[in-house]
Coordinates of all heavy atoms in Angstrom, one line a residue:
M627 N 26.9 29.2 -18.9 CA 26.0 28.3 -19.3 C 25.9 27.1 -18.4 O 24.9 26.5 -18.1 CB 26.3 27.8 -20.7 CG 25.3 26.9 -21.4 SD 23.9 27.9 -21.7 CE 23.0 26.7 -22.6
L630 N 24.0 27.9 -15.2 CA 22.6 27.9 -15.5 C 22.0 26.5 -15.5 O 20.9 26.3 -15.0 CB 22.3 28.6 -16.9 CG 20.9 28.9 -17.2 CD1 20.3 29.9 -16.2 CD2 20.8 29.5 -18.6
F631 N 22.7 25.6 -16.1 CA 22.3 24.2 -16.1 C 22.3 23.6 -14.7 O 21.3 22.9 -14.3 CB 23.3 23.4 -16.9 CG 23.0 21.9 -16.9 CD1 21.9 21.4 -17.6 CD2 23.8 21.0 -16.2 CE1 21.6 20.0 -17.6 CE2 23.5 19.7 -16.2 CZ 22.4 19.2 -16.9
A642 N 10.7 18.2 -7.6 CA 10.4 16.8 -7.5 C 10.2 16.4 -6.1 O 9.3 15.6 -5.8 CB 11.4 16.0 -8.2
S645 N 6.8 17.7 -4.8 CA 5.6 17.0 -5.4 C 5.5 15.6 -4.8 O 4.4 15.2 -4.6 CB 5.7 17.0 -6.9 OG 6.8 16.2 -7.3
S646 N 6.6 14.9 -4.6 CA 6.4 13.6 -4.0 C 5.9 13.7 -2.6 O 5.2 12.8 -2.1 CB 7.7 12.8 -4.1 OG 8.7 13.5 -3.3
N655 N -5.0 9.1 2.7 CA -6.4 8.9 2.7 C -6.9 7.6 2.0 O -8.1 7.5 1.7 CB -7.1 10.1 2.1 CG -6.8 11.3 3.0 OD1 -6.8 11.3 4.2 ND2 -6.7 12.5 2.3
Y656 N -6.0 6.7 1.6 CA -6.4 5.6 0.9 C -7.1 4.6 1.8 O -7.0 4.6 3.0 CB -5.3 4.9 0.2 CG -4.3 4.2 1.1 CD1 -4.4 2.8 1.3 CD2 -3.3 4.9 1.7 CE1 -3.5 2.2 2.2 CE2 -2.4 4.2 2.6 CZ -2.5 2.9 2.8 OH -1.7 2.3 3.6
E658 N -7.8 1.1 3.6 CA -7.1 0.0 4.1 C -8.0 -0.9 4.9 O -8.7 -0.5 5.8 CB -5.9 0.4 5.0 CG -5.1 -0.7 5.4 CD -3.8 -0.3 6.2 OE1 -3.5 0.9 6.2 OE2 -3.1 -1.2 6.7
P659 N -8.1 -2.2 4.5 CA -9.0 -3.1 5.2 C -8.5 -3.4 6.6 O -7.4 -3.2 6.9 CB -9.0 -4.3 4.3 CG -7.7 -4.3 3.6 CD -7.4 -2.8 3.4
Y661 N -7.7 -6.3 9.2 CA -7.2 -7.7 9.0 C -7.7 -8.6 10.1 O -6.9 -9.3 10.7 CB -5.7 -7.6 8.9 CG -5.2 -6.9 7.7 CD1 -4.9 -5.5 7.8 CD2 -5.1 -7.5 6.5 CE1 -4.5 -4.9 6.6 CE2 -4.7 -6.9 5.4 CZ -4.4 -5.5 5.5 OH -4.0 -4.8 4.3
N662 N -9.0 -8.6 10.4 CA -9.6 -9.5 11.3 C -10.3 -10.6 10.5 O -10.9 -10.3 9.5 CB -10.6 -8.8 12.3 CG -9.9 -7.9 13.2 OD1 -8.8 -8.2 13.7 ND2 -10.6 -6.8 13.6
T667 N -14.5 -13.1 4.0 CA -15.1 -14.4 3.6 C -14.1 -15.1 2.7 O -13.6 -14.5 1.8 CB -16.4 -14.1 2.7 OG1 -17.3 -13.4 3.4 CG2 -17.0 -15.4 2.3
E672 N -8.9 -22.7 6.8 CA -7.7 -23.3 7.4 C -6.5 -22.8 6.7 O -5.4 -23.0 7.2 CB -7.8 -24.8 7.5 CG -7.7 -25.5 6.2 CD -9.0 -25.6 5.4 OE1 -10.0 -25.1 5.9 OE2 -8.9 -26.1 4.3
D677 N -3.5 -11.3 10.5 CA -2.7 -10.7 11.5 C -3.0 -9.2 11.5 O -2.5 -8.5 10.7 CB -1.3 -11.0 11.3 CG -0.4 -10.5 12.5 OD1 -0.9 -9.8 13.4 OD2 0.8 -10.8 12.5
A680 N 0.2 -6.9 12.3 CA 1.1 -6.7 11.2 C 0.4 -6.3 9.9 O 1.1 -6.0 8.9 CB 1.9 -8.0 11.0
K681 N -0.9 -6.2 10.0 CA -1.7 -5.8 8.8 C -1.4 -6.7 7.6 O -1.0 -6.2 6.5 CB -1.5 -4.3 8.4 CG -2.0 -3.4 9.5 CD -1.8 -1.9 9.1 CE -2.3 -1.0 10.2 NZ -2.2 0.4 9.8
S682 N -1.6 -8.0 7.8 CA -1.2 -8.9 6.8 C -2.2 -10.1 6.8 O -2.8 -10.4 7.8 CB 0.2 -9.4 6.9 OG 0.3 -10.2 8.1
T685 N -1.1 -16.9 3.7 CA -1.8 -18.1 3.2 C -0.8 -19.2 3.2 O 0.4 -19.1 3.2 CB -2.2 -17.8 1.7 OG1 -1.1 -17.5 1.0 CG2 -3.2 -16.7 1.6
K688 N 0.0 -23.9 -2.0 CA 0.2 -23.3 -3.3 C -1.0 -23.2 -4.2 O -0.9 -22.7 -5.3 CB 1.4 -24.0 -4.0 CG 2.7 -23.9 -3.3 CD 3.8 -24.6 -4.1 CE 5.1 -24.5 -3.3 NZ 6.2 -24.9 -4.1

Side-chain angles (χ1 to χ4, degrees):
M627 187 70 172
L630 190 61
F631 176 74
S645 66
S646 63
N655 294 325
Y656 72 94
E658 183 172 352
Y661 295 93
N662 292 326
T667 303
E672 71 276 358
D677 188 350
K681 296 182 178 181
S682 64
T685 60
K688 295 185 179 186

